[in-house]
Amino acid sequence: MRSFLLKRSSLRPLLISQNPKPPNPVFHTSQSNSTYIYGSTIRDWMSSNGYSQINKYSNGYDRFVANSISTRCFSSQGAAVDEQQPKSSDGLTVDRIVSSGWAILEEGEGDWKSHAAAIAQSIQLIKRRLQWRKLMVRLEMLSVELNKPNIWDDPVHAGNISREHGSLLGKMKGVNGFERELLEHIDMLKLAKEENDAELELESMKALLNMRRSVKEKELEALLAGEQDPCSCFIEVQAGAGGTESMDWASMIMNMYKMWANNRGYKVTVVDEMAGEIAGIKRATIKVDGEYAFGYAKAEVGVHRLVRISPFDSGKRRHTSFAAVAVIPILGGSSSHFQINESDLRIERFRAGGAGGQHVNTTESAVRIIHIPTGVTATCQNERSQHQNKAMAMAVLQSRLDQLEMARQAQLNAQHTQSLTDISWGNQIRTYVLHPYRMVKDLRTNYEVSDPDSVLEGDIDGFILSFLSASLDKDEDNS
Amino acid sequence: MGETESDTGKTDKTIFNTEETRFVVISWERWVEIASEVGQGNKMVRICFSSSIRQTLYPSARFVKYLQKPLPTKSSSSSSSSFSTTPLFLRPPIHSASFPDLKNWQDWAKHLALSVGPKFVEADNGPDADLLCRELKWLLQDAVVDDENDAGFVKLRADLEEMYALWTQRIEERRPFQYLVGCEHWRDLVLCVQEGVLIPRPETEHIVDMVEEVICEDEGMREGLWVDLGTGSGALAVGIGRMLGDGGRLIATDLSPVAGSVTAFNVRRYGLQDKVDVRLGSWFEPLQDVNGKPVGLVSNPPYIPGDHIFGLQAEVARHEPRIALDGGENGMDALLHLCEGAATLMKPGGFFALETNGEKQPEFLVDFMTSKMKGRFRDVRVVSDFAGVQRFVSGFCC
Ligand SMILES: C[S@@+](CC[C@H](N)C(=O)[O-])C[C@H]1O[C@@H](n2cnc3c(N)ncnc32)[C@H](O)[C@@H]1O
């Protein structure tokens, strides 16, 4: 116990001023309920779903949370990091709280130790999800870089460094803030007990309970702490080999994402769509607008496999089809973009027939843009004017080039960023079986669901969250 | 709908009211009466000759649009616009349909579109079924108001009966989609169009890009006077008008009164009435008072050789105004006239851009300007559109 014990009245303000609240933006502000935009719902309605807009949003999320709680493992942090941790007046740290193995009881039960242990556990999980050790190393590196005297000779580079530094620093301070807050509450509680101050004790317990809840929420947010996670994104689906069968599957998958995005309150715009001759799509690109669209959708990158009795096979045989999914973040204004040189672009109107101009009146104004040095192309045909098709194609192109550039940078820095684990179309990630049994199983996490219909109606959050947590936990363990 | 007392004490049947305008159906007699009053210049009203379509729908009536008397406190521009048919997307959503009914309509329309197959493509390079299906989607986009509260029902800007009629016209009469919905998305604008005015083409968007480039290089151009000759729906006028600075002005001219009123409507819709002036008359005729002033001239004049018009796709040949397409025997009448006039009208150093048919015309024009009119133009060049067709001729006056 500190020797300078003061009367409660003077102590409280002191504690508060010594330990100001953590800076506000910790990881991310919770999911905004962005507006349900007219275009997307109508389009949805007009698409093959008939007119019964399904608003069922069943609880993959809850299911997942329950799951993750029971399977989570609590490895303790390294000793080196332990040294820098905030301590309570009697030398308690978050790690020590965890390792002392206090029983974690339901919120309504138990004493302060139960709350403290739950909070400490959450903080550890958050740290793991933020890839804490890598974060510290990177932060150190960036600080060194920023302190170089000539850093501003290259303002673009300097801007990037300082932006990343700022964002990592914010995360670190956020977590440290939690640690301090927890220990403060504990100190306060012990003080109250010592002084037999029932009122203060009750207050501190309440504060601890509140913190327990809010930190629990932050656990989930920490899954989306990647630099690009808050971005909107493009989702692209491409049919695998196998003709109509796969094209039909590709359109089912695309539909799944449209419904998922709608349910989340994101705005969906079809950018480009190449229909199959008989059914389905050869490929399609949609734009998904909204906070954290990329953070979630990135978990879907890879090949999706379907097993079913083919509706296109008169012999009623079982077929396996494949569709590949790619997800590209749309970097915000503050991010560094790949610099596109006007003169490197070839802009073509495609499917333009005949003499054009006054001779022709067509509502078709599709545009393709080719970035000549890289051969990367982008197409848009779904807007109502050529100008807007061009603008949208340009946006797609920019994002594709940004992504290429990020991959290149990541290789250069040998820096592993979670969003870049699978930049390409990737490996097979999930199987959807409609026959002879019914199941959807993620091959990366083994997470599975026995109701393929709900999944194909967009209920994929369980898959997404289990993948995100699995990949982050795995990463930290391997480092 | 309702009976409204007009300024002259007569009653007109109001069909549509907005804050500043009132659309009424009136008899032929009343039409003549108002027209004469307007002639005397004492009426805040502009009249629009209604399109042939509307005349067949309402044989004895004409549409006019009143400008409601401006409140004395409000400053208002006298350049009112008249526009006889309200574009679908601007109509109030006063109709509704049940989901199943609308779905039936959609199925019917889709079926009709698919039944076209490659027929139109083969006949005259018209739209294929895919394109028609996309248009159908856009028609719904314009007609349907998405209102989640109204479970089971959708609000519509046109009743289902009209929706059936519209789509029938699209397929059976090949009436252009843009006339059905009364608008065309062009650049980042939504321009209102109607029969009697050319539907702006995607190629023409590029002229605005060319102007933007010039303006970015020479900021003085932003504050100068621009002219758009043969403005049609006012596409170029609005597109360029929006880029001009506080001192910049644009005069849009056309021979066709329908074009004049549609342009005025679009100009107002984009709040450009103080920047863009709409004048009726043939080419340079209405520009006598600004001789030597314009720093920029753009035009997409009629350039199709007269006897080619009947071979064009039905949407164009049957429905778009001939005056907007017919460029005389070799299509060059207007273009040559514009070259000659530009040299006199423009301020030295002024920029011009003209659209051509993309075949022999651009070459011919360049030759004409650099040899026959030697010394009057500089930096004359041919610019291609995105389909790779040599579409435009641009340059500067000396
Ligand atoms: C091809 S349209 C172009 C319309 C519009 N500028 C556009 O690009 O969409 C040609 C326009 O020239 C107008 N026009 C034809 N003869 C004219 C004349 N003698 N004087 C002025 N305008 C004329 C037509 O009415 C028509 O609106």
Side-chain angles (χ1 to χ4, degrees), chain A residues 295-327:
Chain A
Y296 290 110
K298 68 171 193 255
E300 292 295 298
V301 172
V303 173
H304 298 238
R305 171 170 169 260
L306 171 74
V307 182
R308 66 167 170 183
I309 304 266
S310 166
F312 303 98
D313 180 353
S314 51
K316 298 262 176 284
R317 282 167 300 190
R318 272 206 320 152
H319 280 251
T320 300
S321 339
F322 298 92
V325 174
V327 176

Side-chain angles (χ1 to χ4, degrees), chain A residues 46-326:
Chain A
M46 285 185 295
S47 68
S48 52
N49 325 319
Y51 48 84
S52 58
Q53 169 81 45
I54 300 160
N55 254 329
K56 190 179 68 171
Y57 184 34
S58 59
N59 274 324
Y61 173 89
D62 293 347
R63 213 183 302 148
F64 160 71
V65 172
N67 219 352
S68 87
I69 288 168
S70 57
T71 59
R72 220 193 288 137
C73 63
F74 309 109
S75 67
S76 89
Q77 303 290 316
V81 181
D82 197 78
E83 291 311 306
Q84 302 155 14
Q85 279 191 0
K87 291 186 174 59
S88 73
S89 53
D90 52 358
L92 208 55
T93 67
V94 167
D95 285 351
R96 276 185 209 143
I97 295 175
V98 172
S99 51
S100 49
W102 294 337
I104 299 178
L105 304 171
E106 291 291 311
E107 274 185 5
E109 297 167 35
D111 59 357
W112 66 271
K113 284 188 172 175
S114 159
H115 292 327
I119 294 168
Q121 214 174 69
S122 289
I123 292 176
Q124 272 200 350
L125 184 66
I126 289 169
K127 281 176 148 182
R128 196 157 51 238
R129 288 181 173 174
L130 291 177
Q131 305 186 281
W132 191 251
R133 263 172 293 170
K134 276 186 207 157
L135 187 145
M136 293 310 213
V137 173
R138 180 87 187 140
L139 199 56
E140 183 58 35
M141 249 174 66
L142 293 171
S143 306
V144 171
E145 188 77 1
L146 267 183
N147 286 331
K148 286 185 182 160
N150 58 351
I151 172 93
W152 288 100
D153 292 354
D154 180 351
V156 175
H157 175 70
N160 290 341
I161 298 279
S162 104
R163 186 166 28 76
E164 190 183 348
H165 183 264
S167 123
L168 295 188
L169 200 65
K171 283 170 190 159
M172 188 196 80
K173 284 188 175 160
V175 171
N176 286 345
F178 287 142
E179 292 177 327
R180 271 200 309 273
E181 192 185 337
L182 169 62
L183 298 169
E184 242 172 66
H185 289 319
I186 294 175
D187 271 347
M188 192 66 91
L189 229 140
K190 286 182 178 166
L191 177 70
K193 281 183 189 300
E194 229 160 77
E195 300 222 325
N196 266 331
D197 184 335
E199 192 196 329
L200 179 61
E201 188 178 340
L202 202 72
E203 229 172 79
S204 303
M205 274 297 273
K206 227 195 265 166
L208 216 49
L209 182 62
N210 282 342
M211 188 180 174
R212 178 173 174 172
R213 288 178 186 149
S214 69
V215 170
K216 190 87 210 152
E217 278 167 25
K218 300 284 183 221
E219 278 181 15
L220 275 165
E221 293 177 10
L223 283 177
L224 297 173
E227 213 191 326
Q228 276 92 41
D229 285 352
C231 297
S232 297
C233 67
F234 294 108
I235 300 182
E236 309 193 4
V237 175
Q238 174 131 31
T244 301
E245 193 60 50
S246 290
M247 293 183 210
D248 186 51
W249 172 228
S251 78
M252 286 163 74
I253 284 277
M254 193 40 116
N255 230 21
M256 174 174 93
Y257 291 128
K258 285 180 188 169
M259 291 171 92
W260 168 76
N262 270 335
N263 288 340
R264 277 207 155 268
Y266 294 142
K267 178 191 169 195
V268 179
T269 321
V270 178
V271 174
D272 182 25
E273 195 170 70
M274 196 187 236
E277 285 86 10
I278 298 168
I281 49 173
K282 286 183 182 145
R283 63 175 163 75
T285 304
I286 56 171
K287 183 168 183 249
V288 181
D289 273 302
E291 283 208 317
Y292 291 90
F294 176 70
Y296 290 110
K298 68 171 193 255
E300 292 295 298
V301 172
V303 173
H304 298 238
R305 171 170 169 260
L306 171 74
V307 182
R308 66 167 170 183
I309 304 266
S310 166
F312 303 98
D313 180 353
S314 51
K316 298 262 176 284
R317 282 167 300 190
R318 272 206 320 152
H319 280 251
T320 300
S321 339
F322 298 92
V325 174

Side-chain angles (χ1 to χ4, degrees), chain A residues 36 38 41 45-46 51 348-349 355-358 360-364 381-387, chain B residues 99 131 134-135 137-138 140-142 146 148 176 178 185 187 201 203 205 300-301 303 313 386 391:
Chain A
Y36 207 58
Y38 146 70
T41 48
W45 169 79
M46 285 185 295
Y51 48 84
E348 306 175 338
R349 170 124 181 246
Q358 290 163 23
V360 180
N361 171 21
T362 175
T363 43
E364 164 77 67
Q381 61 206 310
N382 256 54
E383 301 289 328
R384 280 170 78 163
S385 85
Q386 174 175 279
H387 184 81
Chain B
F99 266 126
L131 201 51
R134 198 178 309 157
E135 290 179 3
K137 205 169 78 182
W138 292 340
L140 276 170
Q141 218 174 60
D142 281 6
D146 189 24
E148 287 198 75
Q178 299 92 335
H185 292 226
R187 293 186 65 85
R201 306 291 199 253
E203 286 86 351
E205 291 182 348
N300 171 21
Y303 54 59
Q313 64 171 124
F386 289 142
R391 180 69 60 195

